[in-house]
Amino acid sequence: EAFFHSDVLFRCQRLLRLHGEACQRLGSAIELRQPFEYRELCSQALEDLHASLDHLHLQSNPAWRRLLRSLGALAGNLASLDLLLGNASNPDALADEQDSSLLDREPHSLREVIERIGQQLTPTSLLFRHALRLSIALAAGYGLLHLIHPTQGYWILLTTLFVCQPNYGATRLKLVQRIVGTLIGLGIGWALFDLFPDPRIQALFAVIAGVAFFATRSTRYTLATAAITLLVLFCFNQIGNGYGLFLPRLIDTLLGGLIAGLAVFLILPDWQGRRLGRMLASTLSCNSAYLRQIIAQYARGKRDDLGYRLARRNAHNADAALSTTLGNMLMEPGHFRKDADLGFRFLVLSHTLLSYLSGLGAHRGEQLPQAAQAQLLEQAEALATSLDEIATGLRGEQPLAIHSDEEQALAQTLEQIADDVDERQRLVQTQLALICRQLAPLRTLAVHLQKDRH
């Protein structure tokens, strides 16, 4: 509203659109392994944006002072993005600024190999629980196969193998998709058998069904199940009576799905609600480590070294894992998702916290003024310590206070920003204040979750 009669927002919009188009071209160049050429059109649009900002500054309107700061920060972000896109056509330009070292995950001694295997040979390991559950389910399916001697009994084992997943929610989804896909395939097969009795046409349908299965097996399991059912029916019909397979296929699918469902429900069930506290604690711990890496670079300078990249990736992975856990939790029986509401409120706070950290990380190239550096680093360390404290409480290792006077006082201190303060200090202090304001609701939710656990 303030800049309705100015072209400054149009200039921002145009530059964003040009950057988006450049990103699409860069993506295509990477995919096709072709050279990427950055057009000078973006550079001209950036110059037009700065000219528009200079014109607004010359008007010296006191009401625009804070708004112009935000516009200046936006222009700075766009300029940084323009520089990165410009250097994308010449990767050697960033070679000195980037750290290309990678994390070595391979074990380097027999002791490390034994330790890694030992970490999985325990009921607390999700991999161990799934392996044990799947083994027992397949053994039960094999026993049932010999007990009832079905015509095509291996379908029981195949269904159990594909449907049994590491958690209840994923197994339930896979079970529904498998049964629905089988019913669709049987229904379509019945119709096509009557409409096209010619074996050559049915052979063509079998080929089409096979192609459809391999094209959709990783993305659309229901459709893939329907396609493989059609393929089986048409192939068997080439050498015998395909109608005789309809009932065995359906019964074997139901039996295999029943075994998988009972296994995931009864054998060391991995209820997401039981590990919610650990997931939340892991998310906060990763955010704490990310904050420490970010703020350290404001003191020593920007560099995407291995430690920073690991901390950033771990923070985003932890946030994504929390979202996945809560999604799986919604598919569990009601008693096991009683903390789902707390979890989703926590997820919103986690998203917000990560966005503030990302904003802080985006400006690491702006080194802090020496006068304020020590204080801001100390305040950031206090925030990271508070996040670790809440994470420790969520793990149940220590009681957690629902209110912290120190954090409240720190938030008020960070929010007191003088008008003449350095812009680099203003940005960092503002982001730290926003992060600090997330601590109180995080504490409250963590304490409520602790009470529900007890």
Side-chain angles (χ1 to χ4, degrees), residues 9 81 94 132 158 188 221 231 265 282 287 416 422 448:
L9 296 181
L81 182 56
L94 294 174
L132 181 63
L158 286 175
I188 295 176
Y221 190 68
L231 175 63
F265 190 85
S282 173
N287 283 330
Q416 294 173 359
D422 184 89
H448 284 309

Side-chain angles (χ1 to χ4, degrees), residues 76-307:
N77 289 342
L78 292 172
S80 299
L81 182 56
D82 191 75
L83 179 63
L84 289 172
L85 286 170
N87 288 331
S89 57
N90 182 22
D92 294 335
L94 294 174
D96 295 334
E97 300 178 16
Q98 292 181 338
D99 177 13
S100 58
S101 58
L102 299 175
L103 178 64
D104 186 4
R105 299 181 183 275
E106 296 297 321
H108 296 283
S109 66
L110 181 61
R111 180 179 179 181
E112 289 186 24
V113 173
I114 295 174
E115 286 178 353
R116 292 194 185 188
I117 295 175
Q119 289 172 359
Q120 302 299 333
L121 294 178
T122 168
T124 58
S125 167
L126 300 182
L127 186 63
F128 176 84
R129 294 154 79 100
H130 180 55
L132 181 63
R133 189 184 304 130
L134 188 59
S135 301
I136 295 175
L138 288 175
Y142 190 69
L144 182 64
L145 184 152
H146 283 275
L147 180 65
I148 63 177
H149 295 289
T151 308
Q152 306 293 339
Y154 55 85
W155 283 341
I156 297 176
L157 295 178
L158 286 175
T159 301
T160 301
L161 177 65
F162 293 136
V163 169
C164 191
Q165 299 295 307
N167 59 72
Y168 178 86
T171 301
R172 176 181 164 185
L173 179 62
K174 210 80 166 181
L175 177 60
V176 172
Q177 291 175 336
R178 182 83 178 186
I179 294 174
V180 171
T182 300
L183 290 173
I184 292 174
L186 293 176
I188 295 176
W190 188 285
L192 293 179
F193 275 10
D194 286 341
L195 293 173
F196 303 98
D198 190 336
R200 289 170 295 181
I201 297 179
Q202 291 186 7
L204 177 62
F205 284 140
V207 173
I208 295 173
V211 173
F213 168 73
F214 284 105
T216 59
R217 63 194 174 107
S218 301
T219 54
R220 299 187 177 185
Y221 190 68
T222 302
L223 183 58
T225 302
I228 197 65
T229 300
L230 283 173
L231 175 63
V232 169
L233 292 176
F234 284 125
C235 287
F236 272 89
N237 202 48
Q238 294 289 315
I239 57 173
N241 182 15
Y243 287 99
L245 292 177
F246 281 79
L247 199 56
R249 176 74 175 181
L250 179 60
I251 293 175
D252 291 349
T253 297
L254 294 175
L255 289 175
L258 178 63
I259 293 172
L262 290 175
V264 80
F265 190 85
L266 299 175
I267 304 171
L268 295 178
D270 183 30
W271 304 118
Q272 305 296 300
R274 293 178 179 174
R275 49 196 293 259
L276 182 60
R278 296 195 301 273
M279 292 295 300
L280 299 176
S282 173
T283 303
L284 292 181
S285 296
C286 290
N287 283 330
S288 171
Y290 187 26
L291 174 58
R292 286 190 171 97
Q293 286 287 337
I294 291 171
I295 205 66
Q297 297 210 0
Y298 275 93
R300 66 172 185 258
K302 177 181 178 180
R303 183 171 177 81
D304 287 340
D305 55 19
L306 179 60

